[in-house]
Structure formats: C-alpha cells, structure tokens
Amino acid sequence: MYIQFQLVKIPIKMSTSIELETIRYPIGKLSVPKEISEEQISEWIDDIAEFPVHVRQLTENLSDEVLDWKYRPDSWTIRQVVHHVADSHMNSIIRFKLALTEEVPIIKPYYEEMWADLVDSEAPISISLSLLDGLHARWTILLKSLSEDDFNRKLFHPEQGRKLTLTYMLGLYEWHCRHHLAHVQLALDHEDSFA
C-alpha cells in the first residue's frame, strides 16, 4: 500500500490564521475513528512499514540548502522533520512495548520542539533515515504479531489526561507518517518561500 495524502493548495503569501492552520495540518488534523476494522489496522501497519521508503524517496538526494527549506513560516526545516520522525517513532515503539508489558503505563511526554533544536537535529539526515529503516522494520514485526486483545491494551497519556488504546496509537502514528511526509512535500513545492 502506498502512503497517500492530499495536499490543499496553499498560497505562498498567507495572510490569515486559517491559511496558516491549513498548512500546519496539510492532510487535516488527527481523526481516529471509534470503530476500527481489522482491515484498517492492516492498512495502517502497511503504511507504517513503508514510511521509511517514502521519506527516503523525498529526501535522500536533497542538498544541504534544500534540507534547510521550511514548509511554513516559523516551522521546522526538512532536516528537522526527518530527525523529528526518528525521535518520535523511537518513542512510539517504546510506548507500544510498555503498554504490552505493563498495566496501563504512564508514558513520558517529551518536548519535541526543544529536541528539534538540539545539535543532533543538524546532523546528516542519512543517520535518521537509516535509523527509521531498522526501527520501522522491528516495529512492523511487533505490530503484525499483535492480537485484538493486544491492540485493546492501554497506556495513559498525561498531557491528554486519558487512557489510549494501542489501536488509537497505531492510527495516530500512521497519521503522523502522512502528516510529516506532507510537510516535506510542501517545503519542496514552495521552494524556500518561508525562509
């Protein structure tokens, strides 16, 4: 399955908060349905499995100059987005493993904005692309092994103040993959319009 997303047409000069919100969420805000079929779960797992291929196709041959392009004013650069998804998805597999081995563990939030400003977010993206290859391979093995009962296991997200099932978390991270692929594509489409 190919990860698909539809970008909205975004004017280069954005003048309203609605336009800025649209470019912040180019595929729309997260929306995980209450009822999720086995087919949907399978599709989400496939999308997560294929994500490293898609992010690599979009980014691996970009120059350092292009990797510093942004997808909107005051956003992360393409380089920071690639490193962010590696950071985020490392946290995700740990969250899944905690939920599978503990009773409703409290997950540790982190300051992703601050992580994106750390020096390793300026490293060559090849490091995070390689990390994503191995991480998503292992994550996919884990996800494909889960039963319905496993997907119903929960973790507690202190920032949201609620329990979340692993099915919900799967939908969230599948959306996260498409969300950031869309950001990279927007930055490329707008060719450094938001420096």
Side-chain angles (χ1 to χ4, degrees):
M1 162 140 328
Y2 179 75
I3 296 177
Q4 296 180 10
F5 56 88
Q6 278 200 315
L7 297 177
V8 293
K9 294 274 187 194
I10 308 289
I12 289 178
K13 291 188 177 184
M14 289 169 284
S15 58
T16 70
S17 61
I18 293 171
E19 290 167 336
L20 285 171
E21 189 74 2
T22 301
I23 203 166
R24 184 174 181 194
Y25 297 102
I27 63 164
K29 289 188 176 183
L30 172 66
S31 176
V32 177
K34 289 193 186 290
E35 297 297 321
I36 301 164
S37 68
E38 285 183 29
E39 181 181 346
Q40 181 66 75
I41 288 172
S42 181
E43 287 178 15
W44 285 345
I45 292 170
D46 288 345
D47 287 349
I48 285 172
E50 294 170 6
F51 175 72
V53 172
H54 298 300
V55 73
R56 183 178 294 277
Q57 287 173 341
L58 278 175
T59 62
E60 82 173 329
N61 294 316
L62 299 178
S63 68
D64 280 338
E65 178 185 346
V66 173
L67 287 170
D68 288 332
W69 290 358
K70 297 180 176 189
Y71 59 90
R72 68 178 166 86
D74 301 317
S75 73
W76 288 335
T77 64
I78 294 171
R79 182 190 323 274
Q80 287 173 304
V81 169
V82 173
H83 292 308
H84 162 71
V85 292
D87 290 342
S88 174
H89 295 182
M90 282 190 291
N91 275 282
S92 177
I93 194 170
I94 291 167
R95 290 170 175 181
F96 269 77
K97 288 183 173 206
L98 288 169
L100 290 167
T101 59
E102 299 177 17
E103 288 303 315
V104 194
I106 299 171
I107 61 169
K108 172 106 173 71
Y110 65 101
Y111 298 106
E112 62 185 33
E113 294 289 336
M114 293 174 74
W115 284 33
D117 288 334
L118 294 173
V119 69
D120 64 318
S121 289
E122 292 300 317
I125 65 165
S126 59
I127 297 168
S128 284
L129 292 175
S130 294
L131 191 155
L132 286 166
D133 288 337
L135 177 65
H136 278 249
R138 285 193 57 193
W139 194 9
T140 300
I141 291 167
L142 180 66
L143 292 172
K144 287 184 174 183
S145 77
L146 301 184
S147 67
E148 183 178 342
D149 285 343
D150 291 332
F151 275 114
N152 286 324
R153 293 186 63 89
K154 296 178 180 174
L155 51 77
F156 183 81
H157 198 302
E159 288 180 331
Q160 295 188 25
R162 63 184 177 136
K163 295 176 185 177
L164 303 171
T165 65
L166 289 184
T167 305
Y168 178 90
M169 296 298 289
L170 178 67
L172 181 154
Y173 282 101
E174 187 276 342
W175 172 86
H176 192 257
C177 291
R178 292 182 297 111
H179 174 68
H180 285 301
L181 282 174
H183 283 159
V184 171
Q185 189 62 61
L186 278 173
L188 295 172
D189 290 348
H190 289 291
E191 299 181 354
D192 203 24
S193 299
F194 308 120

